[in-house]
Amino acid sequence: MTGETGGRPVPVTAACVLLALLVVVGSWGGMVLVVAGQVVPTWLVSGALLFAPLVITPLWHRANRWARVPDDVGRSARTRRVLVLLTVLAWLGTGLGLLDDLSATYRVLEPSGPDGCRAVARQTSFLFAGGGEVYAVPATGIGWQVSTWTADDGGTPITDHAYELRWSDDGGSLILHGDVGQPVWPALHEVDCR
């Protein structure tokens, strides 16, 4: 399959766009990615996947010229339209993810739990409103949202180190502490990677 759409190899472009869409949909479903102890924003992953064909295309064209593989001129217009639509959707989802993360901070919380389970917190604060999400991340590095909280007056319990994380064989418990003027609710969050 050496056909091209818009100057890019169709299989490579389609694979990258579909993977980017999967990452975008996963992030909407509460997915988080941790690599080497750092959170990698999903919009960054999907954006990199969307840029990958731009890097691969010149190498693809050189290989085609060297091997003298003819282009498949029979590529249908429908395939091009579907690929363009999916690409626009992936870019839109990536952009929305970036905008949503502008005021967010991520932190991988210490200590880690049994079997490499980690608790990750995503925290936002704007004017008099604050809140966040808690993610359970197994050793694979791909985790899912398990809980959310709201903080009054823009409270930031994670940044302020106003939390406790305890682990047992059954999972972890994250306790967020708020001030009298900045309560956090709920304060207790269960973290379980199973």
Side-chain angles (χ1 to χ4, degrees), residues 1 21-22 39 46 57 77 80-81 83 97 126 128 171 174 180 187:
M1 289 180 71
L21 273 174
L22 282 175
V39 175
S46 60
T57 298
R80 285 191 293 276
R81 284 193 294 266
L83 190 55
F126 183 73
F128 298 108
L174 175 65
V180 173

Side-chain angles (χ1 to χ4, degrees), residues 77-173:
R78 185 180 317 166
T79 301
R80 285 191 293 276
R81 284 193 294 266
V82 168
L83 190 55
V84 167
L85 176 65
L86 292 177
T87 302
V88 168
L89 290 174
W91 275 114
L92 182 63
T94 300
L96 290 173
L98 170 63
L99 288 175
D100 188 44
D101 262 1
L102 285 178
S103 66
T105 57
Y106 289 90
R107 182 165 295 163
V108 179
L109 305 178
E110 294 294 339
S112 62
D115 299 327
C117 185
R118 304 298 302 259
V120 171
R122 178 184 184 270
Q123 182 173 255
T124 57
S125 179
F126 183 73
L127 295 177
F128 298 108
E133 296 93 35
V134 180
Y135 300 85
V137 183
T140 60
I142 299 173
W144 298 95
Q145 181 180 320
V146 293
S147 185
T148 62
W149 79 84
T150 302
D152 197 17
D153 289 337
T156 54
I158 301 298
T159 304
D160 298 340
H161 299 283
Y163 67 88
E164 297 174 52
L165 178 59
R166 298 181 187 146
W167 293 95
S168 69
D169 291 338
D170 296 331
S173 295

Side-chain angles (χ1 to χ4, degrees), residues 1-5 7-13 52-72 75:
M1 289 180 71
T2 60
E4 296 180 358
T5 298
R8 293 186 199 120
V10 170
V12 172
T13 302
L54 300 175
V55 174
I56 295 170
T57 298
L59 300 174
W60 187 272
H61 286 301
R62 284 187 187 158
N64 276 348
R65 266 189 260 130
W66 177 76
R68 297 187 181 176
V69 176
D71 289 341
D72 178 10
R75 183 73 49 201

